[in-house]
Amino acid sequence: MSYSSHILICRGTACVSGESREVQKEIEKQLQDRGMQESVRVVHTGCFGFCARGPIMVILPQGSMYCEVRVEDVGEVIEKHIIGGRVVERLLFKNPVTQEFTEKIDDIDFFKKQVRIALRNCGHINPDDISEYIARDGYKALGMVLTKYSSEEVINVVKKSGLRGRGGGGFPTGLKWELTRKSPGELKYVICNADEGDPGAFMDRSILEGDPHSVLEAMAIAGYAIGADRGFIYVRAEYAIAVERLTTAISQAREMGLLGKGLFETDFEFNIELRLGAGAFVCGEETALITSIEGNRGEPRPKPPFPAQAGLWGKPTLINNVETLANIPAIILNGAEWYAGFGTEKSKGTKVFAIAGKIVNTGLIEVPMGITLREIIYDIGGGIPEGRNFKAAQTGGPSGGCIPADLVDISIEYDTLLEAGSMMGSGGLIIMDDSDCMVDIAKFYLEFTCDESCGKCTPCRVGTKRMLEILERITEGRGSMDDLDLLSELGHGIKETSLCGLGQSAPNPVLSTLKYFEDEYIAHVRDKACPAGVCKKLSNIRIIPEECKKCGACAEVCPVDAIKGKPREIHEIDPQKCIKCGKCIEKCAFKAVKR
């Protein structure tokens, strides 16, 4: 059937929460009412990445992208664009700096510097329709591997590509495959680690929601390469849409003979099962994940032996995360040299990041390794909102470090981030501006890792708790200069003695902020002041007289009547009564109330 137009509707988690399902239903209804269902095709897709602007709608062949589409906008889009051939300008992306509208998705700065390999199909295909994946060369790589390559040749391609693990450790993927293949034993397993627990990270979820077959195909290729006939995808249960689409994808692949016995008329067999996690952060660590699949409480095991030697049920096991696997079919189809042409000498290919925080364009991006932090923040992310200044970027999730503004031109790759006291991690990237307190930021991430510690080893279980207690003292004005030395000593001790990688990296936010923002720690301890005005017990809220409009709005919301002043007079805050809740700051439309 030939269609004059295709309407693509994002049905990733972010857009679904913005009622993109309802938007799609309304489009289908109105097309049906107009008798246009045979000429216009409606397709639900995975994430486009521009999450802050969702729900997203893209109309082909023009490539027009509409943002924040609501049910009530559908009629206008159909009448004006689909029937009349004219864009609905008010729904286009509006550059917050130039105030200009951009129609084409490829012309928006957010997408211009991206190179999509792992995300190549997200936003382009219906993830619930295997035929659309096949139409974009899906399962072609698996067919090539099974009919033309030996297992050693497959591994050599992956090794030459330079692909490194995208789950956080950055271990060479091809080498991991080779070690697993060479481990003795006839029974081996492949595991996809989809237990994505970093706050603000949704790279793996978006791939599973938008392109689940790429992961299934890659797991089958990995199974052939190492000699395994069974794989597991360990995904957290709260990823409901991802679980639903994976279930559909596995069923479709089995029906078409792309999973199971005799794949591509060979004697190779491969099957995949889902295992749902309960949301424990520690189960992102590979040995804890294995323990959970086996039916036990998710706790890490000492290494060695590594999973490649003795993993699931004691058998050699290959574990890769979602993003790592999503690259495999593209590498097989296009060649190792093609993939190695992206990135840097030691960090090949691309990396998916979830950018969030104090930045104009939040969402999901895929960029070549070696891109600078400045390019991500200003060229792709659109800069810092409200005219504020960039202060720091936290990379690598809660176990990563904070990179200060004077390193904004740092090259984003594995080794440079480690040298700066941070890490690549799975791809979380949180941007902070000059209104953020770095001591409070360190406390926030340590609260998370402390709460998520599995408790198996003393350095992580007790050490992170003691570090958190020190940070709480400092942010409440009870800290001493000795506390700063103790924080550093504890942090390095935990890094050296914790059982697993999560515990070993838990002190990173504290150690990196101590390194780059020591003056803020000293201000909290010596001056009993929070320079950013974030820590409540070390700050006061006051009204700037020259900016006060005498409207009285702040006094109306104060829960303790701490704001004094008659109507049409400049108001004042009684510091003895003020509980520093910040209600007045939120209410003041003129930003005359400041902490």
Side-chain angles (χ1 to χ4, degrees):
M1 183 179 294
S2 178
Y3 296 96
S4 61
S5 297
H6 285 68
I7 301 178
L8 309 182
I9 303 290
C10 176
R11 287 269 296 273
T13 293
C15 284
V16 166
S17 67
E19 300 185 345
S20 65
R21 282 195 186 106
E22 289 71 18
V23 172
Q24 180 178 348
K25 289 177 183 177
E26 183 64 18
I27 294 172
E28 292 170 341
K29 177 182 179 298
Q30 293 208 24
L31 290 175
Q32 184 80 27
D33 292 343
R34 290 172 170 84
M36 298 174 62
Q37 69 274 17
E38 300 298 326
S39 59
V40 180
R41 184 170 183 238
V42 183
V43 180
H44 72 262
T45 72
C47 181
F48 286 92
F50 213 9
C51 304
R53 306 288 177 169
I56 299 290
M57 174 195 296
V58 174
I59 299 181
L60 302 177
Q62 298 93 337
S64 305
M65 187 181 87
Y66 292 128
C67 305
E68 300 176 47
V69 181
R70 306 300 173 197
V71 171
E72 53 268 27
D73 299 322
V74 170
E76 184 179 359
V77 171
I78 292 176
E79 288 290 341
K80 196 170 183 179
H81 190 132
I82 302 298
I83 297 175
R86 294 172 291 123
V87 296
V88 181
E89 187 176 78
R90 67 180 182 85
L91 294 176
L92 298 175
F93 169 71
K94 186 178 183 180
N95 189 302
V97 178
T98 66
Q99 298 298 302
E100 295 178 352
F101 291 101
T102 305
E103 177 188 353
K104 310 287 187 182
I105 186 171
D106 294 334
D107 293 335
I108 297 173
D109 290 340
F110 182 80
F111 295 99
K112 280 184 178 178
K113 284 197 172 183
Q114 293 194 47
V115 177
R116 295 196 154 206
I117 297 176
L119 299 177
R120 60 192 176 278
N121 291 324
C122 295
H124 291 282
I125 66 171
N126 177 354
D128 290 322
D129 188 347
I130 191 173
S131 64
E132 294 202 11
Y133 179 70
I134 292 172
R136 289 175 66 90
D137 290 333
Y139 291 103
K140 183 177 180 180
L142 177 60
M144 288 174 56
V145 162
L146 295 183
T147 58
K148 298 180 180 179
Y149 291 26
S150 66
S151 60
E152 292 87 351
E153 289 171 332
V154 175
I155 291 173
N156 284 335
V157 170
V158 178
K159 288 174 68 175
K160 289 179 181 178
S161 73
L163 176 65
R164 294 171 65 173
R166 298 301 195 244
F171 191 82
T173 303
L175 178 57
K176 182 184 281 191
W177 288 25
E178 184 176 56
L179 291 172
T180 313
R181 184 182 66 83
K182 289 182 176 179
S183 292
E186 293 185 4
L187 186 59
K188 298 177 181 181
Y189 299 104
V190 175
I191 294 177
C192 170
N193 182 349
D195 189 74
E196 188 175 47
D198 292 3
F202 52 99
M203 299 75 61
D204 292 350
R205 186 195 75 201
S206 294
I207 293 172
L208 295 177
E209 290 178 354
D211 192 19
H213 287 283
S214 65
V215 176
L216 305 187
E217 181 178 14
M219 291 180 69
I221 292 171
Y224 173 75
I226 69 166
D229 62 5
R230 191 178 178 193
F232 296 89
I233 301 177
Y234 187 91
V235 57
R236 46 186 46 221
E238 58 260 46
Y239 280 5
I241 296 176
V243 170
E244 179 184 334
R245 290 180 182 165
L246 278 170
T247 302
T248 299
I250 291 171
S251 176
Q252 290 178 343
R254 284 175 179 154
E255 289 175 6
M256 295 195 69
L258 297 168
L259 286 177
K261 296 182 178 180
L263 302 188
F264 287 88
E265 299 182 350
T266 68
D267 59 0
F268 178 65
E269 176 183 354
F270 195 77
N271 291 286
I272 296 176
E273 299 176 31
L274 290 183
R275 288 290 186 271
L276 304 187
F281 180 65
V282 72
C283 286
E285 195 277 334
E286 57 184 9
T287 60
L289 182 153
I290 287 172
T291 306
S292 180
I293 292 179
E294 291 173 342
N296 303 308
R297 175 176 173 172
E299 291 181 332
R301 303 170 180 171
K303 292 184 288 190
F306 294 94
Q309 303 163 310
L312 188 61
W313 294 302
K315 306 300 181 184
T317 304
L318 172 67
I319 303 183
N320 289 130
N321 87 317
V322 172
E323 184 186 342
T324 308
L325 291 167
N327 283 287
I328 296 297
I331 290 173
I332 298 296
L333 288 178
N334 296 288
E337 294 77 12
W338 165 81
Y339 189 80
F342 300 101
T344 66
E345 181 180 354
K346 294 184 179 180
S347 298
K348 304 294 186 182
T350 59
K351 180 72 188 80
V352 180
F353 289 99
I355 55 175
K358 307 295 180 61
I359 192 164
V360 173
N361 299 327
T362 59
L364 201 69
I365 64 172
E366 184 172 2
V367 291
M369 289 281 198
I371 193 172
T372 65
L373 183 58
R374 181 188 298 276
E375 290 176 281
I376 291 178
I377 294 173
Y378 294 100
D379 296 346
I380 297 175
I384 312 301
E386 300 180 3
R388 304 200 74 102
N389 297 315
F390 168 61
K391 186 173 186 176
Q394 205 262 357
T395 67
S399 299
C402 294
I403 300 171
D406 56 6
L407 293 181
V408 70
D409 291 306
I410 189 173
S411 173
I412 302 298
E413 49 186 304
Y414 289 101
D415 298 334
T416 57
L417 290 180
L418 287 173
E419 290 170 6
S422 189
M423 59 190 291
M424 185 75 70
S426 59
L429 181 57
I430 310 298
I431 308 301
M432 289 159 272
D433 67 17
D434 51 16
S435 67
D436 286 301
C437 169
M438 301 312 296
V439 184
D440 184 67
I441 290 291
K443 187 179 75 167
F444 168 80
Y445 283 110
L446 199 63
E447 283 174 342
F448 177 85
T449 51
C450 184
D451 186 56
E452 291 289 345
S453 173
C454 75
K456 186 171 184 177
C457 72
T458 303
C460 181
R461 182 184 69 249
V462 179
T464 56
K465 181 67 174 176
R466 298 290 87 83
M467 289 184 75
L468 180 58
E469 290 169 353
I470 295 172
L471 286 174
E472 288 172 342
R473 287 204 303 267
I474 291 173
T475 56
E476 292 173 1
R478 300 183 290 109
S480 67
M481 294 300 292
D482 290 340
D483 283 333
L484 304 188
D485 294 330
L486 186 55
L487 270 178
S488 179
E489 183 181 349
L490 271 171
H492 286 100
I494 293 168
K495 284 179 70 71
E496 293 170 3
T497 58
S498 288
L499 175 61
C500 77
L502 298 183
Q504 292 161 13
S505 57
N508 282 345
V510 179
L511 294 177
S512 63
T513 51
L514 269 174
K515 176 181 179 181
Y516 295 117
F517 301 96
E518 185 181 22
D519 57 328
E520 288 197 34
Y521 280 88
I522 292 174
H524 282 69
V525 171
R526 186 184 61 197
D527 304 328
K528 307 303 178 187
C530 175
V534 172
C535 301
K536 290 184 178 180
K537 294 191 177 181
L538 297 180
S539 61
N540 290 311
I541 296 177
R542 69 188 186 98
I543 298 173
I544 311 300
E546 53 269 28
E547 297 180 17
C548 178
K549 303 302 180 183
K550 310 173 187 177
C551 64
C554 55
E556 292 176 2
V557 297
C558 180
V560 293
D561 296 323
I563 300 177
K564 301 177 293 183
K566 296 178 181 179
R568 293 183 295 280
E569 287 185 0
I570 292 175
H571 290 60
E572 294 181 351
I573 298 177
D574 184 346
Q576 300 303 317
K577 287 186 176 182
C578 180
I579 59 173
K580 305 173 184 178
C581 65
K583 295 287 186 181
C584 52
I585 298 176
E586 297 171 5
K587 184 65 176 179
C588 182
F590 308 103
K591 298 183 179 179
V593 188
K594 296 182 180 179
R595 192 184 293 275

